[in-house]
Amino acid sequence: MLLAVVGPGLITSNADNDAGGIATYAQAGAEFRFKMLWLLVLVTICLVVVNEMSARMGVVTGKGLADLIRERFGVRSTTFAMALLLIANAFTTVAEFAGIAAGMELLGVSKYVSVPIAAGVIWLLVVRGSYPVVERVLLAIGIVYLTYVVSGLLVHPNWGEILHASVVPQVDVSKAYFLLAIALIGTTITPWMQFYLQAAIAEKGIPEDQLAYSRADVIVGSVVTDVIAFFIVVATALTLAGHLSPVQIGNMQAGDYARALVPVAGRFAGILFGLGLVGASLLAGSVVPLSTAYAVTEAFGFERGVDRAIGEAPIFFGIFTFLLAVGALAVLVPGVPLVPMILLSQDVNGLILPAILVYMLILVNDRRLMGRFVNNRGANVIAGVTVVGLITLTVLLVTSSLPGSPLGG
């Protein structure tokens, strides 16, 4: 029964370790060594809480999050959020194809070959495949994340030191540490995750009597994704910390970290890191456009679903195809400023996330909607603290990019 239900939680959480996430975790290790491991443990708890609420709503209501928001709060209040989500996810999709290009170039394959092939394979998988086929392929791609575990073990870490850093907070009182901490939280919990997770559970049609299995799926997925992040931090902390200047680190993308590993940890570790980047970008490059297609079509009541034909759900597949095309073409155009586009997507996600979390808390506590599956007092306390913390940090992340901000620079 568990094997029949498992999928949405693991896929969603693994896809969250995309090119931007890998770069963030690698920067945390390269710049601050183990000083952010304790924060990663707390973020894992937050991720479990938020994803469990989303999964529970998907199972109990049989509807996606955008669908529930539209029914409860009206079309007008969701239109602006959907527009921002579409823009942010377009930039995020660009980042995924940039990750594919960077990872394949480490193996000697030009981006003009790898990116079009990757886009074509993803498009055929989703448009021509059924939901079970798509789910199995995405789960299989997720196995590539084991390369980061191997990379972390290859550098022979001191587990006593790492355990101490994981449970004892180590705060570097600096602007760089504070802003990177915000980015680490923001890259781990994103708006598109909640839309895709709940939509995938709804499309899979998981009944209430299997809710426990769905919970296990999202909890295990949340823990696994941050275990991968943990080993990325460890690998880069023990190989790159002290070898790169802050300026170098600030200008690096995920592929650059794989290249930097080679002279320090050996070519094999660098190749493993690069292969992980390709697999992670392929997974997220499939899921992020899908999450957008689900969210927008749910919000406005259009037909949707991977199991439908193109003629049955033209808007759904049109949005998916548009995002794939934008992501692939942007990477292939010479001179396109990819880094500013990726940073812009993080800012937009920062604007959306607080509202989405508030919507989720209101919906999950609506007894008419959730019946006996509403949050209990303990869950509300944990979720409330999580939401307040995320909102505070997200607002600081967004305001830090504004001119004249004391956190800017």
Side-chain angles (χ1 to χ4, degrees), residues 27 31-32 36 171-183 396-397 399-402 404-409:
Q27 182 179 350
E31 189 168 0
F32 295 105
M36 287 192 173
V171 179
D172 189 324
V173 184
S174 67
K175 179 181 67 176
Y177 182 93
F178 181 66
L179 291 179
L180 186 56
I182 297 171
L396 289 173
L397 174 63
T399 56
S400 69
S401 64
L402 298 177
S405 169
L407 296 176

Side-chain angles (χ1 to χ4, degrees), residues 6-30:
V6 73
L10 282 171
I11 290 172
T12 304
S13 296
N14 277 333
D16 191 43
N17 278 341
D18 58 0
I22 291 169
T24 300
Y25 301 132
Q27 182 179 350

